[in-house]
Amino acid sequence: MKIDVLTLFPAMFAGPLDESIVKRARQAGLLDLRIHNLREYAHDRHKTVDDRPFGGGPGMLLKPEPIFEAVESLAREQTRVILLSPAGRVFNQAIARELALIDELLLVSGHYEGFDERIREQLADDELSMGDFVLTNGALPAMVIIDAVTRLLPGALGDEESAHEESFSHGLLEYPQYTRPAEFRGMKVPEVLLSGHHAEIAKWRTEQSRRRTAERRPDLL
Ligand code: 21W
């Protein structure tokens, strides 16, 4: 899979994508990731990428020319062009699974007060948000999407990680887990987990998952 990212903050991408499973996927050739600086597609003397909104109002908008030029130079016919903005549909695991099936993504990170609407109309295939909170720009959301999608690429997870994954794909929150020691600062691990009764343990875990989900995320039930 190839993922291009268009951003005003390319330096933010050094680090998070050079660790762990994403690093391994890149080294293995499963993911070809390229970060592009939007400013390099601005051709005026001041490398202008934004301007004031017609009609007035606060903040600055990303202007069309640099983004059109960048997308036209980076995207092919089959590329899925995705804007990151708080006005997008909310990203989730189903969207991650859908994106993991696509050969080429181009993630366009927003900033300021948003995009000139013609960028949406003409260039974007989709627009994604991380949820109802305000960030300073779309760089972290782009990295979140890359992380969530990369681990779904065939071969990205080791055997152990994949097996672990399957045992958690029941749509409930995780049950409480413990490791040694069996007692720590007076806090004891639930007796059933030390009992060796596998059916009892499975029953306890399911019950705990349900209780926790009902309490914290009733929308999942
Ligand atoms: C924050 C851009 C607020 C635009 C009309 C006029 C990408 C993001 C972002 C940002 C506004 C994501 C307004 C969750 C996020 C992102 C920067 C809108 C108000 N509307 N997911 N003025 N949260 N954020 N400004 O902030 O680019 S995905």
Side-chain angles (χ1 to χ4, degrees):
M1 176 176 212
K2 179 163 179 275
I3 305 182
D4 289 284
V5 180
L6 193 57
T7 175
L8 282 171
F9 307 105
M12 285 182 69
F13 290 78
L17 305 172
D18 296 312
E19 296 286 349
S20 177
I21 290 162
V22 177
K23 176 185 188 173
R24 218 169 56 204
R26 295 174 75 179
Q27 287 171 340
L30 300 174
L31 173 66
D32 178 8
L33 180 66
R34 302 183 189 197
I35 311 299
H36 309 271
N37 190 343
L38 175 60
R39 213 167 281 285
E40 288 176 10
Y41 293 88
H43 295 309
D44 64 302
R45 257 185 345 118
H46 302 289
K47 299 221 178 288
T48 310
V49 293
D50 60 336
D51 206 343
R52 294 171 10 229
F54 281 123
M60 300 286 270
L61 297 176
L62 290 174
K63 62 198 270 87
E65 300 94 318
I67 295 193
F68 267 70
E69 188 164 314
V71 171
E72 283 163 0
S73 116
L74 296 171
R76 304 192 293 160
E77 188 54 39
Q78 68 265 34
T79 307
R80 178 85 66 104
V81 178
I82 301 173
L83 301 189
L84 287 327
S85 107
R89 57 186 183 125
V90 178
F91 185 66
N92 60 24
Q93 191 64 20
I95 297 173
R97 282 193 291 264
E98 182 197 323
L99 297 183
L101 301 174
I102 297 171
D103 279 334
E104 291 188 20
L105 301 180
L106 172 53
L107 305 178
V108 183
S109 169
H111 185 43
Y112 305 109
E113 291 298 305
F115 299 96
D116 181 287
E117 188 65 19
R118 291 165 291 193
I119 294 163
R120 281 197 175 86
E121 290 170 358
Q122 190 78 30
L123 296 180
D125 298 310
D126 205 347
E127 184 165 344
L128 297 176
S129 167
M130 291 299 110
D132 297 336
F133 45 85
V134 182
L135 299 170
T136 54
N137 64 73
L140 290 169
M143 288 185 257
V144 166
I145 290 171
I146 292 164
D147 190 280
V149 168
T150 299
R151 61 184 291 290
L152 296 177
L153 299 177
L157 299 184
D159 291 344
E160 200 158 309
E161 291 155 339
S162 299
H164 186 257
E165 176 72 3
E166 276 163 35
S167 69
F168 279 95
S169 52
H170 48 39
L172 297 175
L173 299 184
E174 194 177 297
Y175 45 77
Q177 300 195 86
Y178 301 86
T179 184
R180 292 183 292 178
E183 181 174 345
F184 173 68
R185 297 189 179 178
M187 296 176 283
K188 292 194 164 84
V189 171
E191 199 62 47
V192 60
L193 298 177
L194 310 175
S195 70
H197 291 121
H198 297 297
E200 283 296 305
I201 291 169
K203 202 177 108 198
W204 182 86
R205 285 176 168 169
T206 303
E207 165 59 18
Q208 291 291 319
S209 277
R210 285 188 188 289
R211 182 185 296 184
R212 181 174 276 188
T213 306
E215 179 72 27
R216 299 182 186 179
R217 294 292 308 278
D219 57 298
L220 296 180
L221 291 174

